[in-house]
Amino acid sequence: MADATATEQQARSLLTAEAVRARAGQMLELGLGNGLTHFTIDLDRMDGVAEAVVAVTRRAYPTLDIPFHARWRHFVLGGIDRWARLADAAAWPDRAARARAEFDLAIVSVLLDAGAGATWRYRDTLTGQSIGRSEGLAIASLDMFASGAFSGDARAPFRVDADVIAALPLASLTSGFQASDANPLLGLEGRADLLRRLGGLVAGRPEIFGLRDTPRPGGLFDRLAAQANNGAIAAPTILSEVLNQLGPIWPSRLELAGIPLGDCWRHPAIASDDATAGLVPLHKLSQWLSYSLIEPLQRAGLEVTDIDGLTGLAEYRNGGLFVDHEVLRLRDAADAERAHAVDSLLVVEWRALTVSLLDRLAERIRAKLGRTPESLPLASILEGGTWAAGRAIAFARRPDGAPPLKVISDGTVF
């Protein structure tokens, strides 16, 4: 029993931002020692990356008043903050009620936000604008949420009820996202399945998600608020709760001691003296969700501390930034033309290196802008920032803006 308990503790240690940063750092050290299978690393090119990110950041945020990289940015279209306009006009009984609704929206919208593919578009009913990628997915999910598509009460559309999404028909998502043979959305079935899993999990855990209401994802707000110490909660605590409470919704991947490890993958070069040897946690969607839950907590009157305790995001815009700027170079150039599974050593190396390089890049960017981690947290550098610079160089290099490496997505990782 003692061994089983120890292994379970080791498994849960991977469900932390600290573990993501530590294992990513180990991957970078391996790379710098020329010990990786698929990549070499040229840190001399990092200053050029920092200059590119600073240029993009200054254009987007001339005063350097940069918000966090979070789902809320994608709800702004044509200069109008769609969610703020809806939320400010609603009659909330208190700040906690709005926070629960924002948790509902953020959780569902982030889970629906894996890569859409290069061709899918969402036609915005208000402007007639055709929007692709993350921005299109955001507006589509917001429109579904605002219309009450996830609510069991027609009089209260701004909510996600567990029993509703547990039985969500694929047709509902297909229609809501305007997907069709002519407008294909990658991983649509995977997205629908993920929402159903979320609904089933939340419905089955009223002690976590139903403290103040019928079970809904937004019940996680009350769970976190109860853990605040003198009105403050640390950002890594948000991630820990997201991973431990929502972890079982992810499709069956790696488990350790019966604990689902989520966005965690194998790489034989990663060393450890316990049962976690060879495991590389990345938790990209969960960390982005955690970043997206910070602002609702702040609006509800809580202070969120240690925001830099979270890591950069192991996704294709940040990762593409380093490949396109040739900080990361493929040992086999033909790998740029091949499609790679998310659990391939190449993709695991790429994603882990991205996390560690983002920390090093953040230091250079702060030095160039005369900022500290407190005045320019990593969450703002990502927004300013690395994600936009990764997209910019992708479009400069390739007409469709595709990432430099091809990853086979199931709709639940990127």
Side-chain angles (χ1 to χ4, degrees):
M1 181 63 72
D3 285 349
T5 302
T7 306
E8 182 177 332
Q9 289 173 341
Q10 291 161 18
R12 293 212 181 273
S13 75
L14 294 173
L15 302 179
T16 63
E18 184 181 18
V20 174
R21 185 165 267 123
R23 298 285 163 109
Q26 196 179 141
M27 192 76 79
L28 182 61
E29 290 306 313
L30 284 166
L32 292 174
N34 203 32
L36 293 181
T37 309
H38 294 284
F39 290 95
T40 61
I41 303 168
D42 182 0
L43 291 183
D44 289 343
R45 301 189 72 87
M46 283 285 278
D47 200 62
V49 183
E51 289 290 349
V53 174
V54 165
V56 166
T57 300
R58 286 195 181 281
R59 279 199 299 275
Y61 300 99
T63 65
L64 298 182
D65 183 17
I66 310 166
F68 300 147
H69 186 60
R71 194 50 162 168
W72 310 106
R73 310 291 82 77
H74 291 151
F75 296 142
V76 179
L77 193 62
I80 297 171
D81 187 330
R82 295 286 180 84
W83 169 245
R85 192 170 66 171
L86 290 167
D88 291 347
W92 306 104
D94 52 36
R95 290 193 294 184
R98 174 169 174 166
R100 288 182 202 107
E102 291 181 334
F103 267 55
D104 275 344
L105 173 57
I107 290 168
V108 165
S109 189
V110 166
L111 292 182
L112 288 170
D113 190 51
T119 60
W120 176 81
R121 293 289 184 276
Y122 181 74
R123 182 167 289 279
D124 176 40
T125 51
L126 286 182
T127 64
Q129 190 177 342
S130 187
I131 321 158
R133 302 188 184 273
S134 277
E135 292 86 347
L137 292 168
I139 297 300
S141 61
L142 176 59
D143 285 350
M144 288 188 74
F145 178 78
S147 72
F150 307 122
S151 171
D153 183 351
R155 297 162 301 174
F158 296 168
R159 57 183 293 132
V160 174
D161 286 306
D163 57 345
V164 173
I165 59 169
L168 190 75
L170 178 63
S172 175
L173 217 52
T174 303
S175 168
F177 281 79
Q178 301 173 358
S180 66
D181 289 343
N183 188 35
L185 176 60
L186 291 181
L188 190 61
E189 292 84 355
R191 294 168 211 263
D193 186 53
L194 199 56
L195 283 196
R196 291 188 206 109
R197 287 168 176 264
L198 173 67
L201 176 93
V202 170
R205 292 186 173 178
E207 74 283 4
I208 302 292
F209 297 99
L211 295 179
R212 299 284 187 277
D213 202 347
T214 54
R216 51 192 282 207
L220 191 62
F221 165 76
D222 298 289
R223 166 92 178 176
L224 284 166
Q227 295 179 53
N229 186 11
N230 292 324
I233 188 162
T237 301
I238 302 172
L239 176 66
S240 182
E241 282 296 313
V242 165
L243 289 170
N244 281 285
Q245 305 308 335
L246 301 180
I249 70 173
W250 298 104
S252 57
R253 293 191 185 123
L254 298 180
E255 289 190 359
L256 183 60
I259 309 293
L261 300 181
D263 184 5
C264 181
W265 311 91
R266 293 194 188 280
H267 194 291
I270 296 299
S272 175
D273 58 4
D274 62 16
T276 68
L279 295 176
V280 184
L282 294 162
H283 305 314
K284 178 258 171 177
L285 273 177
S286 295
Q287 290 211 79
W288 194 46
L289 175 55
S290 299
Y291 280 125
S292 299
L293 297 180
I294 292 173
E295 288 160 76
L297 287 162
Q298 291 173 329
R299 278 192 283 270
L302 291 159
E303 179 189 0
V304 180
T305 60
D306 192 19
I307 291 169
D308 265 17
L310 299 177
T311 78
L313 303 181
E315 50 81 48
Y316 66 82
R317 289 303 182 203
N318 288 321
L321 178 71
F322 296 112
V323 173
D324 278 335
H325 279 280
E326 298 179 24
V327 172
L328 296 179
R329 291 183 174 138
L330 290 166
R331 290 188 182 275
D332 180 357
D335 274 333
E337 304 307 318
R338 301 182 182 115
H340 305 277
V342 289
D343 63 349
S344 66
L345 291 189
L346 182 146
V347 173
V348 176
E349 287 180 9
W350 182 35
R351 297 181 70 206
L353 291 169
T354 296
V355 169
S356 205
L357 288 170
L358 284 168
D359 278 341
R360 294 202 176 202
L361 184 63
E363 293 173 5
R364 290 174 183 255
I365 290 167
R366 290 184 187 120
K368 289 178 183 294
L369 295 175
R371 293 299 181 95
T372 64
E374 292 71 31
S375 62
L376 189 62
L378 182 59
S380 297
I381 289 173
L382 295 173
E383 175 60 25
T386 59
W387 192 90
R391 174 183 271 191
I393 194 167
F395 275 98
R397 294 273 181 112
R398 292 167 294 278
D400 63 354
L405 301 178
K406 300 179 179 70
V407 178
I408 302 165
S409 173
D410 66 357
T412 63
V413 176
F414 283 104

